[in-house]
């Protein structure tokens, strides 16, 4: 079945630096890749997503890149701030005629931004 | 997006008992899902809650242990039956409005089984 690998498991950066989290997926039919941010005691919050017909998407300080050939996608956060500290999850799914919308999640990355 | 609420937000239960978790959405949605997040772990899909029919369970999850109801397009319940300490987890519902694949999550129910 589909598998999503996420690295690193923990990431510590200084405020103002950039952070990059990488994911690889196994099912070449996957065509939707969301990223979620989960703060302590809260549910996951969708922060950005990308579909397989697009190579890059940006929203202010957050960007996601997708390499379909290599089956990997990455989250880039620039100018990090202490409030970016959280656990980040990547996920993958495939949308088809009989798709139920099942998301396969990576293992998560704990990002710590030091003031 | 959608506004999703879950009840209870947390609970401490005794082994052998059952707990029913409610998920309420502020708009009608086609797809609702239930996930489990074990301590310090990622999210695993338990089942898809289908309105008007039985839920579709993922491998490793069975209806007897996790019965699900979906009486309408804005509400669903997940019951964790005959609980053991291994059931201590965060249980999350999510929704996918319209026919889009984007899922939005509720705040979660934090369950501790003693």
């Amino acid at each position: 079945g589909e598998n999503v690998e996420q690295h690193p498991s923990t990431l510590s950066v200084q405020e103002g630096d950039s952070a990059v989290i990488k994911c690889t997926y196994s099912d070449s039919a996957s065509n939707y890749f969301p990223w979620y941010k989960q703060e302590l005691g809260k549910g996951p919050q969708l922060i950005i997503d990308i579909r397989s017909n697009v190579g890059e998407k940006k929203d202010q300080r957050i960007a996601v890149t997708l390499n379909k050939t290599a089956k990997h996608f990455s989250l880039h956060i620039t100018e990090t701030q202490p409030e970016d500290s959280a656990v980040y999850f990547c996920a993958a799914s495939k949308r088809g005629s009989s798709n139920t919308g099942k998301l396969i999640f990576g293992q998560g990355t704990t990002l710590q931004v030091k003031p | 997006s959608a506004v999703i609420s879950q009840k209870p937000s947390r609970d401490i239960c005794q082994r052998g008992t059952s707990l029913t978790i409610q998920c309420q959405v502020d708009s009608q949605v086609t797809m609702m899902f239930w996930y489990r997040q074990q301590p310090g772990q990622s999210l695993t899909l338990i089942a898809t809650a289908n309105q008007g029919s039985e839920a579709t369970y993922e491998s490793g999850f069975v209806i007897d242990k996790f019965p699900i109801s979906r009486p309408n397009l804005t509400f669903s319940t997940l019951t964790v039956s005959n609980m053991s300490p291994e059931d201590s987890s965060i249980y999350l519902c999510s929704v996918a409005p319209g026919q889009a694949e984007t899922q939005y999550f509720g705040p979660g129910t934090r369950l501790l089984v003693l």
Side-chain angles (χ1 to χ4, degrees):
Chain A
E2 170 73 287
N3 185 49
V4 177
E5 296 288 331
Q6 183 173 345
H7 298 282
S9 58
T10 61
L11 180 59
S12 182
V13 300
Q14 287 296 135
E15 182 178 1
D17 288 350
S18 295
V20 180
I21 303 171
K22 299 181 179 181
C23 289
T24 59
Y25 58 98
S26 60
D27 190 344
S28 57
S30 295
N31 54 17
Y32 175 66
F33 309 92
W35 285 88
Y36 290 88
K37 174 184 180 182
Q38 187 175 28
E39 297 177 60
L40 195 62
K42 298 184 178 181
Q45 176 192 5
L46 179 70
I47 57 172
I48 196 167
D49 57 11
I50 192 167
R51 290 169 177 80
S52 59
N53 58 345
V54 177
E56 184 174 358
K57 183 176 179 180
K58 188 174 181 180
D59 182 4
Q60 300 183 6
R61 296 186 298 110
I62 295 174
V64 57
T65 59
L66 171 65
N67 184 327
K68 287 190 295 181
T69 302
K71 291 190 288 187
H72 69 70
F73 56 111
S74 301
L75 177 71
H76 304 254
I77 306 174
T78 59
E79 301 172 25
T80 54
Q81 303 166 3
E83 49 267 38
D84 293 329
S85 297
V87 180
Y88 291 81
F89 291 99
C90 65
S93 74
K94 51 186 176 183
R95 184 74 177 176
S97 58
S98 61
N99 183 46
T100 61
K102 178 179 177 178
L103 285 174
I104 305 299
F105 282 85
Q107 296 85 347
T109 296
T110 301
L111 174 64
Q112 181 187 26
V113 181
K114 299 178 181 178
Chain B
S1 64
V3 177
I4 306 163
S5 60
Q6 286 185 234
K7 289 182 180 179
S9 59
R10 60 180 65 244
D11 207 342
I12 301 173
C13 300
Q14 296 298 316
R15 67 173 67 208
T17 63
S18 298
L19 176 71
T20 295
I21 302 167
Q22 300 178 6
C23 179
Q24 179 76 53
V25 192
D26 68 339
S27 58
Q28 292 185 344
V29 294
T30 306
M31 308 293 287
M32 293 183 77
F33 307 89
W34 287 98
Y35 288 82
R36 181 176 72 183
Q37 185 177 25
Q38 295 177 300
Q41 302 298 311
S42 187
L43 288 78
T44 301
L45 181 64
I46 297 172
T48 301
N50 303 309
Q51 197 270 329
S53 64
E54 280 196 1
T56 305
Y57 289 84
E58 296 299 309
S59 176
F61 297 97
V62 296
I63 188 171
D64 289 347
K65 176 66 175 178
F66 298 102
I68 288 170
S69 78
R70 178 88 193 271
N72 56 53
L73 293 175
T74 63
F75 186 79
S76 178
T77 67
L78 168 76
T79 299
V80 186
S81 303
N82 188 25
M83 288 183 288
S84 67
E86 293 71 35
D87 294 320
S88 298
S89 292
I90 302 172
Y91 292 87
L92 296 146
C93 72
S94 75
V95 304
Q99 295 299 316
E101 61 269 84
T102 304
Q103 290 187 31
Y104 300 96
F105 284 84
T109 294
R110 284 145 185 84
L111 171 62
L112 176 63
V113 183
L114 302 177

